[in-house]
Amino acid sequence: MLHYALVFLVIAIIAAVFGFTGIAGTAASIAKILFIVFLILAVIAFFRRAS
């Protein structure tokens, strides 16, 4: 999950450099959502492991 978030972040940065603002914004939004999902799953896994 984190890997895909980083991939979309890199796509967003490259698209922004080349001026594709629509693609860059969409890729950045996807990266943000994937990162949040990763954090939620990581916290759940941490608490399940601790108990």
Side-chain angles (χ1 to χ4, degrees):
M1 185 84 50
L2 185 59
H3 173 74
Y4 291 123
L6 291 174
V7 168
F8 276 105
L9 179 63
V10 169
I11 290 171
I13 291 171
I14 292 172
V17 166
F18 288 117
F20 299 109
T21 56
I23 296 171
T26 303
S29 298
I30 293 171
K32 182 179 175 183
I33 291 168
L34 287 175
F35 185 71
I36 291 170
V37 170
F38 165 75
L39 285 179
I40 291 169
L41 292 176
V43 168
I44 290 171
F46 176 75
F47 282 121
R48 287 193 70 196
R49 185 86 144 140
S51 59

